[in-house]
């Protein structure tokens, strides 16, 4: 089961046993006022800067998101994608909840992108998946639907199954789907991370698909978030996540270490190289 | 499945879903020249100091080991146990490969100790398990035998099964056995940690016993060992290890974080309390 993503030049392979692929945390204006203001003012350069910053800290796939109040995503998203692809060779993740903006961005994208995302809602499935099929893209499938996010891992599996089946009916192969079992906040609900981990295990066992995970929510409201996020990712990667969405600056080192432990880095060469690079930087 | 250990006053419960129990890394003269010299010279006070140091950094069970060339363990180990129990209320792990010394130490021990350890060798099983049964102790069972440590996880499971069965025949209940699936060094063999993790999963699924793990070997020869050890423990704990043998000073914080993630620390109260304590110290 191998997911292949392509940028203007770079190709990324996501598969069990291969090194973990880092999807850079989205360039997302939500809650980032200055960025939103710049985008509203038509300044898309900011998206390019953020993309380059993610590459710099070691992200393998760059998420592009221009969603904010007052931003015309249908006009802005394709321009942002083009601009980022001028300077970034790696594959992009096109991150929007607006199908029209997604269609416009897919049209200009060079390569094979990751669509972020589809979920289990009927309306969403029927609007997003045909675009994914038409453009031969890969897609992130979120384990949530009209009823929200269930705290029953079997229910999350059920939604993952539905997404995989609907995709199949449109000719999208299973290897082009990255399931996200969704991580909620443990400080709000002690069982939240366990539900996610159980869902990941179920999805891995039954569907065998590659998986992503936006993990940083898990530690919200707690001290030493970086520690919690790294440990949670370690467990999630062991359970089957192989392309998490992360702040690479914060957790890349931990993920390289996990790859050593899981036998995905022969002689720890990547790990040691990264360590030496960090030592030099001081 | 609950393992209960008792010291002069403290009782420790090891069970799935309960907070992870830290067995302090053994007070072990191997490779520690000064300590060995002091023990040879009859200075057992050093053992007491080390035990208190482990308590100080948050170990729940204290390992006592006086093995070194030139040390008469049969004479020294029981004296060391008595001396440590004068100042430490927590349960001890009696760590020796000499059955005569073990018998002498068990005789003076107050409470229900952990015997560290028995392995799958016939000779070892037949000498150690009867002592464990006679004194109503709990025991660590190492997944190795006459043929050494196998790189086949199913073979490690087989040895664990044998230890559990032999113990049962002597009336030692399964809950008094902590299996150690053994961690070797990933820098020497990229698959080493994976074999351990697979063995842990197999033992958990088939035998359902509580498990320990001496995890720090895994990172030998690599930089940032603390990071590697913490991440490895996180995965191992998720797989079923619930009483690892650790340098508590180094990994306690990571283990408290793992307990938060695995829903074993309601409202993250222990985690936050520990964080505040460290902030004050620091």
């Amino acid at each position: 089961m191998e997911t292949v993503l392509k940028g203007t030049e770079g190709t990324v392979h996501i598969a069990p046993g291969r090194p973990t692929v880092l999807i850079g945390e989205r360039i997302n204006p939500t809650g980032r006022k200055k960025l939103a203001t710049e985008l509203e003012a038509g300044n898309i350069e900011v998206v390019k800067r953020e993309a380059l910053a993610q590459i710099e800290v070691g992200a393998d796939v760059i998420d592009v998101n221009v969603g904010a109040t007052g931003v015309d995503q249908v006009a802005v998203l394709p321009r942002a994608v083009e601009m980022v692809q001028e300077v970034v060779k790696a594959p992009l993740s096109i991150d929007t909840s607006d199908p029209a903006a997604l269609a416009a961005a897919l049209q200009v994208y060079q390569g094979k992108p990751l669509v972020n995302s589809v979920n289990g809602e009927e309306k969403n499935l029927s609007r997003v998946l045909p675009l994914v099929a038409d453009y031969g893209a890969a897609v992130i499938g979120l384990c949530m639907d009209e009823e929200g996010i269930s705290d029953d891992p079997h229910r999350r599996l059920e939604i993952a199954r539905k997404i995989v089946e609907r995709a199949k009916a449109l000719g999208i192969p299973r290897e082009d789907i990255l399931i996200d079992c969704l991580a909620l906040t443990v400080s709000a609900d002690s069982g939240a991370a366990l539900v996610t981990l159980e869902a990941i295990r179920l999805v891995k066992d039954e569907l065998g698909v590659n998986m992503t995970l936006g993990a940083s929510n898990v530690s919200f409201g707690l001290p030493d978030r970086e520690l919690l996020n790294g440990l949670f990712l370690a467990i999630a990667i062991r359970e089957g996540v192989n392309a998490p969405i992360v702040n690479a600056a914060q957790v890349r080192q931990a993920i390289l270490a996990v790859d050593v432990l899981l036998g995905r880095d022969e002689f720890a060469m990547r790990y040691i190289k990264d360590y030496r690079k960090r030592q030099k930087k001081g």
Side-chain angles (χ1 to χ4, degrees), chain A:
Chain A
M1 188 73 67
E2 182 172 77
T3 309
V4 178
L5 303 176
K6 291 183 182 170
T8 55
E9 294 184 37
T11 298
V12 162
H13 300 264
I14 302 164
R18 290 192 76 126
T20 303
V21 166
L22 305 193
I23 303 176
E25 213 150 43
R26 53 189 181 171
I27 300 163
N28 187 347
T30 309
R32 297 171 66 182
K33 214 168 173 182
K34 198 182 156 216
L35 192 56
T37 311
E38 292 206 50
L39 283 173
E40 278 175 63
N43 181 5
I44 307 184
E45 283 285 332
V46 63
V47 174
K48 197 197 281 186
R49 281 205 309 275
E50 293 243 335
L52 288 171
Q54 280 294 328
I55 290 284
E56 179 61 27
V57 294
D60 303 301
V61 177
I62 305 303
D63 191 275
V64 176
N65 178 314
V66 297
T69 318
V71 173
D72 173 8
Q73 286 200 53
V74 181
V76 173
L77 189 59
R79 279 175 57 210
V81 163
E82 284 178 314
M83 192 175 279
V84 171
Q85 286 207 299
E86 279 169 20
V87 291
V88 166
K89 295 173 184 172
L92 305 188
S93 155
I94 302 175
D95 185 359
T96 178
S97 57
D98 178 345
L102 175 61
L106 284 169
Q107 201 151 22
V108 302
Y109 184 85
Q110 298 175 55
K112 179 180 177 180
L114 181 63
V115 169
N116 184 4
S117 57
V118 70
N119 63 48
E121 291 180 40
E122 284 305 328
K123 196 173 123 189
N124 193 265
L125 286 165
S126 65
R127 294 181 72 180
V128 175
L129 287 183
L131 291 171
V132 171
D134 283 353
Y135 288 93
V139 63
I140 293 176
L142 307 179
C143 295
M144 58 186 286
D145 64 6
E146 290 83 355
E147 293 169 28
I149 301 173
S150 172
D151 57 7
D152 175 357
H154 290 89
R155 178 83 187 96
R156 293 198 199 172
L157 165 64
E158 203 177 290
I159 297 171
R161 193 190 295 133
K162 178 169 143 186
I163 293 171
V164 167
E165 283 166 6
R166 293 300 175 85
K168 189 181 173 189
L170 293 171
I172 302 166
R174 190 174 291 208
E175 57 263 32
D176 279 343
I177 303 168
L178 296 180
I179 291 295
D180 183 340
C181 289
L182 301 174
L184 301 182
T185 302
V186 284
S187 60
D189 169 9
S190 298
L194 263 185
V195 170
T196 305
L197 294 170
E198 288 298 325
I200 292 168
R201 192 175 285 200
L202 293 171
V203 168
K204 173 80 182 170
D205 285 352
E206 185 185 310
L207 302 173
V209 288
N210 292 317
M211 276 182 271
T212 184
L213 185 68
S216 44
N217 278 343
V218 84
S219 61
F220 187 78
L222 291 173
D224 278 342
R225 292 189 63 182
E226 214 166 304
L227 175 73
L228 286 157
N229 291 349
L231 295 166
F232 183 56
L233 279 167
I235 302 172
I237 289 169
R238 163 66 174 162
E239 296 288 7
V241 168
N242 44 14
I245 300 177
V246 297
N247 182 332
Q250 278 179 7
V251 298
R252 182 161 191 270
Q253 195 184 343
I255 289 178
L256 289 178
V258 172
D259 279 352
V260 170
L261 295 168
L262 297 183
R264 300 174 188 179
D265 180 6
E266 195 79 25
F267 305 116
M269 282 174 69
R270 274 178 91 212
Y271 177 76
I272 291 169
K273 195 175 157 190
D274 180 76
Y275 175 79
R276 290 199 179 130
K277 199 171 147 193
R278 278 184 292 107
Q279 291 298 100
K280 271 187 193 162
K281 279 189 186 168

